[in-house]
Every structure is written in structure tokens, then in C-alpha cells.
Amino acid sequence: MHYSTYFLIITTVFVLLFATSSSSFINSPSVYAKYTLSYNDAQSTNIYINIEFEINEDIQLHLNGTQTFIMPRSVPSGYALEFYDSYVDNLTAKSSVGSLITVKKDSTSGPRWTLECASNETLSTISYSINLTKHEQGILSGYDASKIRQNRYIGILGYSIFGYLEPMDQVENLPLILIVQSLPEWSIHLTLPPTTNRIPGQQTYGTVSGIAKNYYHLADTQVFMGPSMNVTYIPISYDELYQQKTKSQLSFDQTLIEQNYIQRSLSFYVVVYTEDTDNLDVDMATNLSVQAMKNLLLYYNNVPFPLYTVAMEMTKPLDDKHSYGISMEHLNSCTINIEYGSGINKNSTKDQIRIFQYNLAHHIQHAWLPKRLFSKFYYPFIFELTPVIDTIWFNEGFGQYIAMDAMARALPLNESYEYRQYFIKNRFEYKVNLAPLFIKQMPLPYLSMIASSLFSIDVRTTINLNSRGALMAKDMDELIQLKTQKQKSLRDGIIYMLNWSESNSYIIPFTMEQFPKFFMNATNVDVTPILEKWLQ
Ligand SMILES: [Zn+2]
């Protein structure tokens, strides 16, 4: 759905919230649970999470009898297991009258706690703490961990600290409030839409709240706070995008967009925390992010989120067991994890800068694909185990090609050709050959299933999968352009698919039977032979 309709839903939630309770939204039947994340002691590395549940007649979730609380071990697009439950301390549960409820950790090694309410008890709150230093030390993939730097910075990945009550993860419309309480002088940035009419871009301190549509949205959010992060707010309007180009410079597609456009804008934020300011020029990184987002807005002609945050983190490695440098996509943000000392500055070469920006574009691109356009088992997501997904070649390979295509389209014709060739040769064609023979011989859906839990652990699977997917996208793009005398391209098929997904509220997976039909409907070109060639 577009920004305007999404905003309408959020506004409707607020109207319901405040119509039913003028003093506090907590009592509103529209909100199923209120999550409070607190960090109140500058001497501590602990954060505290308190979840208050509301009885909701509309949602068939019960708060009596035996309840199960679960922490994620798998995250959307993570394609790996992380034992976030290992860092949950002092978990307690209370009833609506304040009595303690008996809590037991699952004895079969699942990330579950059983809460035994007595016959007259109703579950009201669950509380626990997480020591962020212990958490970061235990999670060896540095990009999967939340972090604390005392007196400076806290960076939180929602799924690494927020658990849920079964079956909250399976309910689509389950509004949740997140309240973040920090030290009074610390600024806070949330990637969720705010619960109040906050002026976009205004710095917020002490306490901030946001609203999530459901548990998936809450888990996929990020929270940043502290005096050492740099937050830049850049509103991007479509008006501004078109002013950059004169009419004669607009492509056929862009002219069509201009004819049909209604005013839309995006609240865009860049949050940077770096422990090496020499090797990460914040202004440069911010400008590259803004340009990447603008190019993608022009590519997709669709703004399915009201706000978006590019978050960059460059921290000193904890030790040589921890790894860094993999970025991660979310619904309204991306986390760009930069290996220490490998950022960009005024001395960087042209290639270093374009590879850095290409990575930004690729991860911003993911907010459309696969976050809002995906195949089986991506959504609803299984948070306890890594789901087996046979279309990562689409999520990642097409996601790589589209990032390249969107960036290239924004360049003058001769530079555009050179940009495309650079990534096709040095990234897709070169990397597809790096894998050993047994990986190259695996059919793409099978390799995808294997990579579903090994993505960052055995990068041979990842690199081959991504490159084969990107080359499939390239073949389809070339075929469509050839058959239509350049009147259509891969982009038309992708936009057709996104419109289909939007009409299904971005929650229905497409099937492989639908895939070539989408392209046929959008371009009148049969891509089946290319699909069959690459999937075998
Ligand atoms: Zn990716």
C-alpha cells in the first residue's frame, strides 16, 4: 500500500486509541500489548523490557491457563540461527492482581518459557532484563547483535530483545505500542511511526513511543539512543525529485510517473555511530544514502512506508572471533554494518565509493523486495527456527540486479552503461565462478534451501546464489527489452508484481506458477525458458 493509505490506517488506530481513553492509550482495546524498553542507569549495561498485555475481545488470544513466551532464534532475511533466548535474565510474570506467576524455561532446549496461571489468574505483565555487553560478546556475528557503549550509544535490533506470547507471531492485525525510556539527556531514534504528532526530524530525548502493526513489525524495528550517534533528517518529496531533471532528461517511465503522480513524500533519516571517524565521513555517507533512496523511489514509483532510516554502525571488533561487515534489511530501515576501518572518506577511490553506495542501494531496495514482495515461507515468519526458503535467489539475486539497475538509470547514458558493466562483470559474472563445483551444480531452489540457515556462515553458498539470481534477472531484462524494442524491461514485471502484492496488503507470498504469468501480463514476454534454464 502507498504512504497515504498506510498513514490512514495508523491514523485510524490513533483515533481509536484516543477516542476510548483520553488520559492513557494503555487501556485502549485497539492495542494488545505495550512494550516498554528502559535504560535508566548510566553505570549499567542492562536494559529492561516490560510487556503489559490487554484483554482484547477482537483477537482470539487468551491470557488465562498455560501461556508460552518465546524469544526469536531466527529473523527475517537473517538466514541463520541466533540464540537470543540465552541472554534473557530474571524473567518474571505477574497476574492482573499483581501476584507472581510460575515461570519455567523449556526443558527441550527451545527458546520458550511456560507461564502457569492459576485458575483464577489472568496474565498481565512479563518482565526481563538483558545485559547488552554479555549479549554482544555471545553473538559472534556482530551485525546480528544489539550493542551498548556506556555513556555514548545503544543500538538495538528489535528481534534480538523483544519476545512474544504464542501465537502473537501469527496474528496480522495486532497493534503494539513501544515506549522507550532512556537517560533524560540522551536522544532517541525509533524506526517505528510515532504515536504522537511529532514534527518529523525533531530530536527527541528521554522518552519516545512508536506503534507497530503487529509483532513482526515490532521485531523488525530498531532503536538508537545516546549522545554519540549522529542523526540527520532529510525529507524527500517527489516534487524535489522531479526538479532535479528537466523534462527532456526524463525517461519514458519517469514521464509517465510525472503525469500520474500525486504529491508524496518520505521522512528519511540517516543514523551513524562510528568508532572511527577518519574512515567514515558521515556527510559523505549521508549524501550517498539520500541519492540511493531517491534513485529507488524513481525506480519503484511507490513509497510503501511513511518513514525510513539508514542506520550505519562501525565499531571496533570485540576480538578475532567476532565478524562484521554484513548489512541487514528491515521494513522501515536497514542496518549497514561496516567493518572497522573500511568505510569511505575523501581519499576513497571512485570504485570504493560506488561499491559502498551500491551496498546502501541494495539494502534500501530490500524494503520493497523481499520485505513487501516475497514467495513462500518468508511471511508469516517462523521466529523459532530458520524456515527453509527456496526463492532466496529472488530476494537476493533480483535484489542485487535491481539495486544496480536503479542506480544506473539515474546516470547519464555513457556512465550508466559503464556502471552496469562494472557490476555485471566484477560482481555477478566474476563471483558466480568462485564456488566449488558441487555448489555450482546444485539446482538453484535446492541451493537456496541449503543457504536458508547458512547464509552468513558459508558465504560460498550465498555468493553463488546471489550471483546466479542476478544473472537470471539480467537475462530476463535483456530478453524483455529485445522483444519489446526497449518499450518494456524487467522493471515493468517487478512493478506489476509489487502492485499485485500491494493489492494483497503485502502479506501474501507469490507462487512460482504465478511468476512467469506476472511478467507475461506486464510485458507480453514469456520468461519461462530463462526461468527453466536458471532453476535447473
Ligand atoms: Zn541482500
Side-chain angles (χ1 to χ4, degrees):
M1 88 189 69
H2 290 273
Y3 163 55
S4 51
T5 49
Y6 182 62
F7 184 75
L8 194 69
I9 287 168
I10 296 295
T11 310
T12 310
V13 171
F14 291 132
V15 169
L16 288 170
L17 290 177
F18 291 108
T20 51
S21 168
S22 57
S23 59
S24 162
F25 45 68
I26 300 161
N27 295 323
S28 164
S30 302
V31 172
Y32 180 71
K34 183 184 73 161
Y35 282 67
T36 305
L37 159 62
S38 309
Y39 178 70
N40 301 320
D41 179 0
Q43 306 306 311
S44 168
T45 57
N46 284 336
I47 53 168
Y48 296 89
I49 287 102
N50 188 68
I51 311 169
E52 268 183 67
F53 297 98
E54 290 292 316
I55 295 171
N56 189 315
E57 300 296 327
D58 300 330
I59 300 164
Q60 294 299 307
L61 293 176
H62 302 287
L63 297 168
N64 309 105
T66 301
Q67 302 290 325
T68 306
F69 179 75
I70 303 166
M71 279 296 287
R73 280 187 180 171
S74 173
V75 304
S77 298
Y79 311 117
L81 271 182
E82 293 293 0
F83 289 71
Y84 293 127
D85 53 301
S86 305
Y87 308 99
V88 170
D89 295 324
N90 308 312
L91 193 144
T92 58
K94 282 187 183 168
S95 73
S96 53
V97 293
S99 54
L100 276 175
I101 290 169
T102 307
V103 175
K104 277 193 206 129
K105 180 88 196 272
D106 189 293
S107 60
T108 55
S109 78
R112 295 178 156 227
W113 286 258
T114 302
L115 319 176
E116 296 284 358
C117 294
S119 56
N120 59 346
E121 283 180 329
T122 302
L123 174 65
S124 173
T125 61
I126 294 174
S127 309
Y128 53 95
S129 62
I130 293 174
N131 182 323
L132 286 180
T133 300
K134 205 171 88 180
H135 167 106
E136 188 185 350
Q137 283 169 346
I139 294 169
L140 299 181
S141 302
Y143 39 85
D144 282 345
S146 294
K147 299 179 183 67
I148 184 165
R149 298 293 179 267
Q150 274 180 285
N151 303 312
R152 286 183 284 160
Y153 169 74
I154 291 179
I156 299 282
L157 292 157
Y159 42 66
S160 77
I161 65 156
F162 297 131
Y164 59 96
L165 207 59
E166 191 177 39
M168 280 169 67
D169 59 325
Q170 299 300 312
V171 183
E172 180 57 30
N173 292 309
L174 191 137
L176 304 170
I177 293 276
L178 171 62
I179 298 174
V180 179
Q181 296 172 335
S182 180
L183 302 168
E185 65 279 14
W186 276 31
S187 64
I188 306 173
H189 179 77
L190 292 191
T191 62
L192 285 177
T195 52
T196 54
N197 281 333
R198 221 167 48 220
I199 299 166
Q202 190 179 38
Q203 276 220 311
T204 45
Y205 295 87
T207 301
V208 177
S209 55
I211 187 157
K213 183 180 153 197
N214 53 33
Y215 174 72
Y216 179 101
H217 283 219
L218 179 81
D220 209 40
T221 195
Q222 294 182 267
V223 179
F224 304 97
M225 49 182 132
S228 297
M229 64 175 181
N230 189 300
V231 181
T232 311
Y233 166 66
I234 310 104
I236 301 177
S237 75
Y238 265 38
D239 283 344
E240 186 198 346
L241 286 178
Y242 290 113
Q243 276 163 13
Q244 288 178 349
K245 291 171 185 276
T246 63
K247 273 242 183 298
S248 61
Q249 288 174 308
L250 289 173
S251 70
F252 175 73
D253 287 335
Q254 286 162 351
T255 310
L256 270 185
I257 294 168
E258 190 189 38
Q259 283 164 358
N260 296 322
Y261 97 100
I262 48 166
Q263 186 170 350
R264 279 176 275 176
S265 67
L266 171 69
S267 290
F268 187 65
Y269 296 86
V270 180
V271 177
V272 182
Y273 173 73
T274 178
E275 295 176 357
D276 179 1
T277 46
D278 289 342
N279 282 305
L280 184 58
D281 184 317
V282 174
D283 288 342
M284 261 179 94
T286 301
N287 291 336
L288 292 171
S289 304
V290 173
Q291 196 54 53
M293 175 53 96
K294 285 181 177 176
N295 293 351
L296 284 156
L297 290 175
L298 278 173
Y299 182 92
Y300 279 112
N301 184 29
N302 167 308
V303 193
F305 29 73
L307 72 171
Y308 190 92
T309 302
V310 170
M312 297 184 205
E313 220 176 44
M314 189 202 266
T315 56
K316 287 181 186 151
L318 288 190
D319 53 43
D320 57 11
K321 288 194 182 69
H322 282 74
S323 59
Y324 300 88
I326 289 184
S327 305
M328 175 58 109
E329 59 270 24
H330 306 286
L331 283 161
N332 291 346
S333 64
C334 59
T335 322
I336 305 298
N337 186 279
I338 307 164
E339 215 161 326
Y340 192 70
S342 73
I344 44 144
N345 59 25
K346 300 277 185 295
N347 300 321
S348 301
T349 64
K350 183 185 167 194
D351 282 352
Q352 284 170 327
I353 292 169
R354 67 176 167 186
I355 289 168
F356 185 91
Q357 191 180 30
Y358 171 80
N359 185 53
L360 295 171
H362 170 68
H363 287 89
I364 295 171
Q365 182 292 134
H366 276 316
W368 286 268
L369 186 172
K371 283 293 176 187
R372 290 172 174 87
L373 175 62
F374 47 81
S375 192
K376 271 192 308 182
F377 303 126
Y378 190 83
Y379 187 88
F381 190 74
I382 300 170
F383 284 94
E384 281 184 79
L385 295 169
T386 45
V388 174
I389 298 174
D390 65 2
T391 47
I392 302 177
W393 54 266
F394 178 73
N395 301 356
E396 291 302 326
F398 277 58
Q400 294 226 1
Y401 186 83
I402 288 167
M404 183 272 290
D405 195 16
M407 295 302 291
R409 280 167 183 263
L411 294 169
L413 214 54
N414 58 335
E415 287 179 43
S416 175
Y417 178 79
E418 197 270 331
Y419 188 94
R420 282 174 195 280
Q421 291 309 307
Y422 179 85
F423 283 97
I424 290 169
K425 295 270 174 277
N426 297 310
R427 198 169 184 102
F428 312 143
E429 289 179 353
Y430 170 71
K431 290 191 171 182
V432 80
N433 288 316
L434 292 180
L437 192 61
F438 82 99
I439 288 180
K440 283 187 200 167
Q441 287 177 337
M442 284 177 180
L444 211 43
Y446 182 61
L447 178 59
S448 179
M449 290 192 278
I450 286 178
S452 297
S453 59
L454 287 177
F455 205 72
S456 55
I457 300 162
D458 190 327
V459 293
R460 299 176 306 172
T461 59
T462 315
I463 290 171
N464 190 261
L465 186 61
N466 294 354
S467 305
R468 280 158 76 178
L471 290 171
M472 186 201 307
K474 172 182 164 284
D475 281 358
M476 282 188 189
D477 198 13
E478 287 174 356
L479 179 74
I480 295 166
Q481 292 196 41
L482 181 74
K483 297 264 185 191
T484 62
Q485 280 90 44
K486 297 201 178 224
Q487 293 300 302
K488 302 274 182 186
S489 67
L490 182 87
R491 175 172 174 262
D492 294 281
I494 295 294
I495 287 176
Y496 184 95
M497 291 176 80
L498 256 174
N499 289 339
W500 170 86
S501 185
E502 181 185 11
S503 69
N504 288 295
S505 306
Y506 297 122
I507 60 173
I508 307 291
F510 67 81
T511 65
M512 283 318 295
E513 287 71 40
Q514 287 173 299
F515 191 90
K517 291 177 187 162
F518 287 139
F519 279 88
M520 177 58 87
N521 292 346
T523 66
N524 209 24
V525 175
D526 184 9
V527 296
T528 312
I530 293 173
L531 203 55
E532 284 173 353
K533 175 189 142 193
W534 283 99
L535 291 187
Q536 70 186 357

